[in-house]
Every structure is written in C-alpha cells, then in structure tokens.
Amino acid sequence: MRARIAVLGGDGIGPEVAGQGAAVLRAVAAQGGHQFELTEALVGGAAIDATGQPLPPATLALCRASDAILFGAIGGPRWGPSAPVRPEQGLLALRRELGLFANLRPVTVNPRLAGASPLKPELLVGVDLLVVRELTGGIYFGEKTRTATSASDLCSYTVAEVERVVRVAGALARRRRRKITSVDKANVLETSRLWREVAERVVRAEFPDCTHEHQLVDSCAMQLVRRPADFDVVVTENMFGDILTDEASVLAGSIGLLPSASLGAGRCGLYEPIHGSAPDIAGKGIANPYGTIMSVAMLLRHSLGLEAEAAAVERAVDQAIAAGLLTPDLGGTASTGEAGAAVVRALRLDTPAA
Ligand code: IPM
Ligand code: MG
C-alpha cells in the first residue's frame, strides 16, 4: 500500500527514538512491498527556536495531509514552564486540531523484564491492561485565567465527549477480556458525576456483553499497583489518564517501553511513546527506542490496517529484548541505535498462506 507518514521528532531524545521508529517503518515497507513516504517536520521547542511557534502552520498542514503521524517527544528546560510560548502547546494543538480524542495506552509486562520493575514479580504475572484516555477535553483545554494573586483552570465535559470515548473503550474491550473500568472522582467533581452517568448508560445499552465497574481515581491509583492484573480496559478523563499511565508504566519496568495511539473519527492517528523528552540523556544515544517502535506497530494496525505487519514489529521487539538488547533504563548497555537495529534485523513479515 501507499501511505504518507509525518515524522515529528520534537525535542530531547524525541528525534533519536523517532529515527529508530522511522527505520523500522522503512524496513516494513521494504519487506512488505509498501510505499511509505516519510516526511519530517518541526514541532515543540525545536519549532519555537526555528519559527517562534510550537506548531508551525506547515507542520499542521503536513499532518492533515498524512495518513499517520509518528511523534517523538517535546519539551525541555530551555522552554518553560513559565515561558509565554511552550513546546507542549504544539502537541496539545495537534491533538485538538486533528480531533484525536481517544488515547490508547496499552501496558503489558514482558516476563523477561519483570525484574526491571520495583514491584514484586508475583504481582506482575498476567498484567495486560489498556488505558483509554480522553485527550481533547477536560481541564487541559478549559479556560485558563491568571491574576497576580490567583489562577484557575476550568474543567468541563459534554455528554457527547464522554459518549464517544466510552464507545472506543467498549469496542476495544470486546476484542479483549470484556471488562471496563471507568475512572472518575464522582464523590467530588461535577464533571465526574456526568462522566459516571454517561459511562454507565453507554456501557449498559451498547456493551451489555462487557462487565463494568466505576473506580474513584485515588483508589484506582492504589489498585493499579496492588492488583494490576485485574484490569482490562480503563477509560478515564484527560488528566486522570495522564497521571495513571505514568504510574502504570512502572509495571512494565520502564516508561521507555510504552507506546500510545491517539485516534479520532477518521483513520489518521498520532503515535508516540508515552515518555517525555528526557533532556538529561538527550544526545547520548542511550534512550530506549522500544516504546516508539511499539508505537509504530500501533500505527500500522490502527491507521494503515496492516495487522500482520504490526504483529511482526511486536514480535521483532520481543526478539530483540530476548536477545538481551537492553538500554540502560532496563539495566543494559545497548545504545538506542543498537536496540533499533536489532529490531530491524529480527523483523520477519508473515508470508501469506498459499
Ligand atoms: C503525555 C504528556 C503530555 C500530556 C504533555 C507533554 C503535554 O505528559 O502525553 O502524557 O500531558 O498529555
Ligand atoms: Mg503524561
């Protein structure tokens, strides 16, 4: 197939890991006989330095014209948090402009890496959960005010915003263990009471074959490390999802392993590792590329419909890990380039049945 893919490396380790993701995309194209047109563009701090804007119009136009976006990471001490223009605004604007309202963040534990997590190995057996984070609403996008002595961030949700993300979670639960945990703070927040009512109604009416429960976000944060294997699909609002997924990454052993997909109504999605720009290790060539490469697998699956290719990339990452190609965050000595090259070497697309 032909596909146009925008590659936005961003800041810090972003370009290093995005480079490895792009190399895997090229290897998939070569083996599978696909034509992937990869085009790089500026975003975040790098774009502020070059153009004064975190999301230059040319980058947004490229993304709109693409079938998928591979994203590295943004941000760094040079730009904020009190700077007038900040790198994060670029990513938030991209999510919003492209209507990418559902953020999928799968968390699994590779048994070989169970020792990399600070949690007891027996707690990690069978962990396989998927957080569906609402991505274009809530406190992230509400009106912000600031005076000399006060500040406020408005949190609001509409029924339609909750319905559509719960539907995404329900559809994904059907392909998994059919259990949905909706997370809110309904004992305190009005937006959470709305969230709970809508989630309850949508799941009962449209996903009666799934079991569901509601958890308060503080309790959920505890259960995620007490009994993580009990979770299947977790659906929650923007900020709770941001916080809970950094916590959940501890289960996997390193935040550097975790991928994400941000999806909207169409097929175009944005794919990025959930880690940040890690300025402390930027330029050293030691960042873990596996979260980005697993994001490439999600890109192939969700935006291009190439399931066999996606599965082949996931197998290749497993093999690279099994061969001991681990970056320092996982206790190894492999470089970003060595780990990425090991994935490319291990890549074998399924030969179609005769
Ligand atoms: C994430 C990040 C972003 C967020 C930042 C960089 C704006 O933490 O993708 O989880 O808060 O959504
Ligand atoms: Mg985050």
Side-chain angles (χ1 to χ4, degrees), residues 38-192:
L38 306 186
T39 310
E40 292 186 21
L42 290 170
V43 75
I48 295 174
D49 289 350
T51 71
Q53 291 171 282
L55 179 63
T59 299
L60 180 58
L62 172 75
C63 292
R64 284 195 199 284
S66 298
D67 299 295
I69 302 153
L70 179 63
F71 195 96
I74 46 163
R78 285 175 49 211
W79 308 278
S82 44
V85 185
R86 293 181 310 281
E88 290 76 8
Q89 292 166 332
L91 178 57
L92 297 178
L94 204 47
R95 291 172 176 170
R96 182 78 165 189
E97 289 294 325
L98 299 179
L100 305 173
F101 65 86
N103 182 220
L104 282 43
R105 297 187 165 189
V107 181
T108 54
V109 177
N110 183 320
R112 286 176 209 274
L113 300 179
S117 172
L119 298 175
K120 293 182 186 138
E122 60 267 28
L123 277 177
L124 301 173
V125 177
V127 168
D128 178 7
L129 62 91
L130 171 65
V131 178
V132 179
R133 168 188 175 194
E134 201 290 326
L135 203 59
T136 53
I139 199 165
Y140 271 59
F141 292 95
E143 191 196 340
K144 298 178 189 307
T145 64
R146 181 71 187 262
T147 69
T149 53
S150 72
S152 76
D153 298 275
L154 182 70
C155 182
S156 73
Y157 268 108
T158 65
V159 168
E161 283 173 325
V162 183
E163 282 174 346
R164 64 184 181 177
V165 74
V166 171
R167 286 191 179 115
V168 170
L172 291 163
R174 274 201 174 130
R175 294 192 240 148
R176 300 170 46 97
R177 303 197 308 279
R178 295 176 185 254
K179 178 174 177 190
I180 302 168
T181 303
S182 173
V183 177
D184 59 45
K185 185 72 183 171
N187 53 346
V188 176
L189 301 177
E190 204 54 47
T191 40
S192 279

Side-chain angles (χ1 to χ4, degrees), residues 205-221:
E206 300 175 33
F207 303 94
D209 51 325
C210 295
T211 57
H212 76 285
E213 61 178 0
H214 304 279
Q215 283 190 16
L216 297 172
V217 63
D218 47 352
S219 164
C220 178

